[in-house]
């Protein structure tokens, strides 16, 4: 039987261990805070030469520009889009500059087709090292004016497709312990906005999926994961996706050109930045305002008169 003095020593030992662990955790926390800020300004963009980049929704807008710009940086680009002609145009554009691109007509909501095309990419092109889940749709009207089909399709394209893409390409990334998953969320994935209820829901979901998957891999028993994640929150990019957007000081917050949005997204991926809003300051502003009660934050929103009008 243990002596009372042994029990006492054991308690002291456990308390000391806990104190050391608490100090270690606090120290590590602050070290990583400063390291992250330091790296934001000093990290260089890593080369993507030799990478295989797959972009969904590569036929138009931001996706097309992402595909073109990655190819210019020396990556092999795999373009997926539901629209065969637009996708072909992107592939032709890339090839006309002497760069490498492959085109696949795929509806990313169709799990079977995604897995089929995914196998073909792995066999004919190679292991995808950078996956850009970009395809998205955005109907904009009051919640009760959305049809059932519209709501389902928003979630099929903007959310479920990400799972089918993971199913197709994540196992190889895990086996190689190498890869980067980029996802297009939206500022509508950070703020709830009128006329965009299902869209906001879908883009909030993208944010959660990216964060949860990243956490799952980080804490997996297979050792330190080298698979990286970058989630993008654009405000307004001039692609035609958003029919119109109202804001009081339009000249201060003009829509960004897709070329410029794509350049920021690629730069964030190459630097390993986990979250980026376009423009960059919006995500930080949101963090500041979220500290205050919701009602106070709404005063700012009312002052800016920012909203997406209904298209009906
Ligand atoms: N444009 C903006 O202002 C803005 C703002 C915030 C977030 N985003 C997000 O950025 C992403 C790209 O937006 P964009 O403005 O370039 O859009 P876009 O409409 O210009 O291009 C989207 C592309 O996705 C393709 N696509 C649609 N459904 C598909 C499907 N089922 N399977 C395969 N391809 C499909 C389309 O054919 C099109 O080529 C979207 O996820 C969007 O939600 C855009």
């Amino acid at each position: 039987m243990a002596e009372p003095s042994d029990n006492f020593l054991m308690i002291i030992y456990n308390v000391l261990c806990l104190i050391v662990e608490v100090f270690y955790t606090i120290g590590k926390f602050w070290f990583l805070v400063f390291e992250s800020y330091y790296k934001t300004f000093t990290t260089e963009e890593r080369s993507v030469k030799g990478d295989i980049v797959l972009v969904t929704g590569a036929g138009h807008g931001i996706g097309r520009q992402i595909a073109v710009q990655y190819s210019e940086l020396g990556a092999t680009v795999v373009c997926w889009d539901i629209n065969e002609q637009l996708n072909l145009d992107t592939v032709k554009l890339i090839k006309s500059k002497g760069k490498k691109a492959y085109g696949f007509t795929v509806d990313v909501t169709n799990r079977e087709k995604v897995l089929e095309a995914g196998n073909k990419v792995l066999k004919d092109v190679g292991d995808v090292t950078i996956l850009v889940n970009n395809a998205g749709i955005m109907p904009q009207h009051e919640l009760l004016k959305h049809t059932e089909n519209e709501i389902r399709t928003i979630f099929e394209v903007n959310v479920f497709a990400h799972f089918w893409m993971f199913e197709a390409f994540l196992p190889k990334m895990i086996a190689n312990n190498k890869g980067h998953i980029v996802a297009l969320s939206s500022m509508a994935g950070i703020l709830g906005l009128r006329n965009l209820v299902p869209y906001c829901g879908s883009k909030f979901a993208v944010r959660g999926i990216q964060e949860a998957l990243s956490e799952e891999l980080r804490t997996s028993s297979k050792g330190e994961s080298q698979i990286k994640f970058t989630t993008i929150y654009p405000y307004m990019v001039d692609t035609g996706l958003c029919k119109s957007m109202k804001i009081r000081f339009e000249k201060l917050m003009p829509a960004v050109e897709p070329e410029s949005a794509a350049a920021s997204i690629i730069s964030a991926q190459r630097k390993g930045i986990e979250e980026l809003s376009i423009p960059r300051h919006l995500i930080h502003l949101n963090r500041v305002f979220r500290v205050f009660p919701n009602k106070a934050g709404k005063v700012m929103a009312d002052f800016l008169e920012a909203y997406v009008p209904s298209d009906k």
Side-chain angles (χ1 to χ4, degrees):
M1 214 170 95
E3 294 290 318
S5 61
D6 288 349
N7 283 340
F8 180 69
L9 282 176
M10 192 48 92
I11 290 168
I12 298 278
Y13 173 77
N14 285 339
V15 168
L16 282 176
C17 284
L18 186 63
I19 290 172
V20 169
E21 201 181 335
V22 166
F23 274 102
Y24 173 76
T25 305
I26 293 172
K28 193 170 173 188
F29 174 85
W30 283 109
F31 172 77
L32 290 176
V33 167
F34 288 114
E35 189 199 49
S36 295
Y37 286 126
Y38 177 71
K39 279 192 173 169
T40 307
F41 298 105
T42 56
T43 302
E44 300 205 339
E45 295 174 342
R46 80 162 182 83
S47 166
V48 291
K49 259 193 196 130
D51 272 290
I52 297 178
V53 183
L54 191 150
V55 186
T56 67
H60 195 258
I62 304 172
R64 171 175 286 179
Q65 291 306 322
I66 290 177
V68 170
Q69 292 182 28
Y70 267 121
S71 76
E72 286 167 348
L73 291 167
T76 298
V77 179
V78 184
C79 301
W80 281 20
D81 204 290
I82 194 172
N83 187 316
E84 186 167 10
Q85 190 52 53
L86 289 177
N87 201 37
L88 205 61
D89 291 346
T90 304
V91 173
K92 271 192 198 155
L93 179 65
I94 294 173
K95 285 189 169 168
S96 71
K97 298 175 182 195
K99 307 294 178 193
K100 280 187 247 162
Y102 297 80
F104 291 78
T105 307
V106 190
D107 175 354
V108 290
T109 68
N110 186 328
R111 175 176 169 270
E112 240 169 63
K113 297 284 178 208
V114 166
L115 298 183
E116 202 178 285
N119 277 330
K120 218 166 153 21
V121 169
L122 293 173
K123 199 162 138 275
D124 298 350
V125 188
D127 293 351
V128 169
T129 50
I130 302 173
L131 171 62
V132 186
N133 277 322
N134 162 76
I137 56 167
M138 188 184 116
Q140 50 184 86
H141 30 263
E142 284 164 24
L143 175 62
L144 296 181
K145 289 192 178 147
H146 282 76
T147 61
E148 176 194 349
N149 190 39
E150 238 172 0
I151 295 172
R152 288 189 190 281
T153 313
I154 291 170
F155 275 80
E156 294 276 2
V157 182
N158 295 3
V159 183
F160 296 153
H162 291 234
F163 292 108
W164 317 145
M165 298 302 291
F166 295 152
E167 194 176 345
F169 299 107
L170 190 59
K172 272 280 177 200
M173 288 188 180
I174 292 175
N176 299 337
N177 198 16
K178 181 183 176 197
H180 202 130
I181 295 171
V182 180
L184 269 289
S185 176
S186 167
M187 278 312 288
I190 289 188
L191 297 162
L193 298 168
R194 70 169 114 149
N195 292 320
L196 290 178
V197 176
Y199 180 79
C200 281
S202 73
K203 293 299 182 177
F204 267 71
V206 169
R207 184 183 190 188
I209 290 164
Q210 286 278 105
E211 193 169 303
L213 181 57
S214 154
E215 183 59 10
E216 183 167 299
L217 294 182
R218 186 183 76 82
T219 53
S220 105
S221 54
K222 291 192 179 125
E224 197 179 333
S225 171
Q226 293 302 326
I227 301 168
K228 300 194 164 54
F229 290 81
T230 295
T231 310
I232 308 290
Y233 307 97
Y235 154 69
M236 173 84 177
V237 185
D238 194 7
T239 63
L241 177 86
C242 179
K243 317 284 177 312
S244 63
M245 164 92 205
K246 296 273 180 235
I247 185 154
R248 190 165 177 193
F249 306 106
E250 225 162 297
K251 294 235 161 55
L252 287 180
M253 290 273 288
V256 174
E257 290 305 318
E259 291 82 353
S260 153
S264 304
I265 293 166
I266 292 174
S267 172
Q269 180 275 313
R270 293 176 66 198
K271 284 182 170 178
I273 292 171
E274 286 168 16
E275 290 193 301
L276 176 84
S277 62
I278 303 174
R280 186 179 293 263
H281 63 272
L282 288 184
I283 199 166
H284 303 298
L285 267 184
N286 177 263
R287 283 187 184 129
V288 170
F289 279 105
R290 292 273 177 182
V291 169
F292 300 107
N294 259 350
K295 270 187 182 169
K298 302 281 180 225
V299 172
M300 277 310 286
D302 290 346
F303 171 71
L304 289 171
E305 290 171 11
Y307 71 100
V308 174
S310 168
D311 58 8
K312 292 220 161 167

